[in-house]
């Protein structure tokens, strides 16, 4: 009986040791519980208010599959893309603004308000154009005349009753003429109202009329190869720049208030001339001899707008 008892005791000890060895490496069911708790915590983070606050994509099933942290980064990358599209649009606006800046005060597509008066005009005046048969002219107020930048511009003038007339600016109206005011030729005023009205409210805007005329160039009296003044006549659109080719380089000449572009040193006098209108179009005039006070025709004209 003592041997049998010893055998049974030894067997019991072996069973206990075996069970201990099975349980010691870790409880499989405990690991499963831990994993499920991890998933629950992850899902809770995806659906938490802070996660949904940074990205609405956390509500989408695909967001949970790829991880909530990836969606905000996608959103962040989308924002720079939208911002990067902005500079190109700004660049386009800067180009439009740059072109418009060539126009000075009188800009394309802008309607101005003022009054119209009239005087006996013959086409001559501060712009130093010759008298002409064109009786539909006007003198621009000093502010909008802008030191001769308005010279040669065509403007469409409209009266309150709807009557219109297109005039070419050939003169400056100083003194009592307020900004927006145009002192029209008597013939132009008569197309808008009875001369007895004397003074009427108007609106006006820049025009680019049809014309069969071409541009002419004139060197000022006293011009030579040592000093010259150059004037462009008959341009459809207002002139923004006049340049001369000197030493292989284009040199922009300053514009005097009497509507001549001056080369004080004589640089480029008698050479190639480049004209630029307020729309940015450029015309190149072949070299012309310096012939003071002589109107020299070209075959060039700016495009209609």
């Amino acid at each position: 009986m003592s041997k049998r008892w010893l055998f049974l005791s030894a067997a019991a000890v072996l069973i206990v040791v075996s069970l201990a060895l099975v349980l010691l490496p870790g409880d499989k069911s405990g690991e499963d519980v831990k994993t499920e708790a991890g998933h629950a915590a992850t899902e809770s983070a995806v659906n938490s208010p802070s996660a949904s606050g940074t990205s609405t994509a956390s509500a989408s099933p695909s967001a949970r599959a790829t991880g909530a942290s990836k969606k905000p980064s996608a959103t962040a990358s989308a924002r720079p893309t939208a911002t990067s599209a902005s500079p190109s649009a700004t660049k386009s606006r800067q180009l439009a603004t740059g072109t418009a800046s060539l126009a000075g005060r009188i800009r394309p597509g802008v309607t101005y308000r003022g009054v119209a008066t009239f005087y006996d005009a013959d086409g001559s005046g501060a712009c130093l154009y010759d008298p002409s048969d064109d009786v539909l002219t006007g003198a621009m107020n000093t502010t909008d005349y802008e030191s001769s930048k308005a010279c040669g511009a065509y403007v469409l003038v409209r009266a309150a009753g709807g009557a219109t007339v297109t005039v070419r600016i050939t003169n400056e109206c100083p003194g009592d003429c307020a900004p927006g005011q145009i002192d029209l030729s008597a013939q132009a005023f008569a197309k808008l109202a009875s001369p007895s009205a004397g003074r009427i409210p108007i609106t006006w805007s820049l025009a680019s009329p049809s014309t069969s005329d071409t541009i002419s160039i004139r060197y000022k009296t006293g011009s030579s190869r040592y000093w010259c003044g150059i004037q462009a006549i008959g341009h459809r659109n207002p002139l923004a720049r006049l340049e001369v080719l000197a030493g292989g380089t284009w040199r922009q000449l300053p514009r005097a208030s009497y509507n001549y572009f001056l080369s004080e040193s004589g640089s480029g006098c008698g050479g190639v001339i480049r004209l630029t209108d307020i729309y940015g179009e450029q015309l190149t005039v072949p070299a012309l001899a310096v012939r003071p006070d002589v109107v020299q025709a070209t075959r060039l004209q700016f495009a209609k707008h």
Side-chain angles (χ1 to χ4, degrees):
M1 289 295 290
S2 60
K3 287 182 179 182
R4 186 177 181 184
W5 172 253
L6 288 174
F7 175 78
L8 289 175
S9 298
V13 170
L14 286 174
I15 290 171
V16 171
V17 171
S18 298
L19 288 173
L21 288 174
V22 171
L23 293 175
L24 275 176
D27 189 350
K28 220 40 170 166
S29 61
E31 185 177 346
D32 290 341
V33 171
K34 191 175 185 180
T35 303
E36 288 174 8
H39 283 311
T42 303
E43 187 167 338
S44 174
V46 171
N47 291 322
S48 71
S50 60
S52 61
T54 56
S55 173
T56 55
S58 62
S60 112
S62 60
R64 294 181 185 177
T66 56
S69 60
K70 290 186 179 179
K71 212 57 184 175
S73 65
T75 305
S77 65
R79 285 175 184 166
T81 303
T83 306
S84 65
S86 207
S88 62
T90 304
K91 186 175 182 181
S92 297
R93 285 194 295 272
Q94 286 174 345
L95 289 175
T97 302
T99 301
S101 68
L102 291 174
R105 285 184 58 86
I106 304 176
R107 302 187 302 277
V110 178
T111 298
Y112 300 86
R113 294 183 179 278
V115 296
T117 48
F118 67 92
Y119 74 112
D120 291 327
D122 61 2
S124 62
C127 295
L128 294 190
Y129 297 135
D130 291 334
S132 69
D133 295 332
D134 179 11
V135 295
L136 301 181
T137 61
M140 185 63 74
N141 67 84
T142 297
T143 301
D144 295 320
Y145 179 78
E146 200 176 0
S147 188
S148 83
K149 285 185 179 180
C151 286
Y154 288 89
V155 294
L156 175 65
V157 184
R158 183 182 300 274
T164 63
V165 64
T166 298
V167 299
R168 184 169 67 106
I169 302 304
T170 61
N171 201 0
E172 177 185 7
C173 180
D176 294 337
C177 280
Q181 182 173 349
I182 304 177
D183 204 17
L184 300 172
S185 64
Q187 295 88 339
F189 188 91
K191 290 183 177 295
L192 300 177
S194 169
S196 61
R199 181 186 182 95
I200 61 172
I202 58 168
T203 58
W204 55 273
S205 57
L206 189 64
S208 179
S210 298
T211 180
S212 58
D213 294 339
T214 56
I215 298 171
S216 298
I217 299 295
R218 175 164 55 190
Y219 279 94
K220 194 178 187 308
T221 302
S223 293
S224 69
R225 62 191 180 94
Y226 303 107
W227 177 94
C228 67
I230 307 173
Q231 182 185 62
I233 306 168
H235 39 87
R236 187 202 312 264
N237 305 320
L239 196 61
R241 287 197 298 254
L242 187 149
E243 301 164 281
V244 293
L245 189 61
T249 303
W250 288 109
R251 179 188 170 196
Q252 183 177 341
L253 300 184
R255 190 176 197 166
S257 60
Y258 50 84
N259 194 34
Y260 272 87
F261 294 82
L262 306 180
S263 177
E264 298 287 353
S265 65
S267 179
C269 296
V272 180
I273 299 169
R274 185 165 70 182
L275 308 174
T276 304
D277 71 3
I278 62 170
Y279 298 96
E281 182 182 358
Q282 294 183 322
L283 302 175
T284 301
V285 181
L288 298 171
V290 180
R291 301 171 61 193
D293 206 28
V294 174
V295 176
Q296 302 185 61
T298 74
R299 298 179 178 180
L300 305 171
Q301 185 57 272
F302 292 117
K304 186 178 184 300
H305 289 267

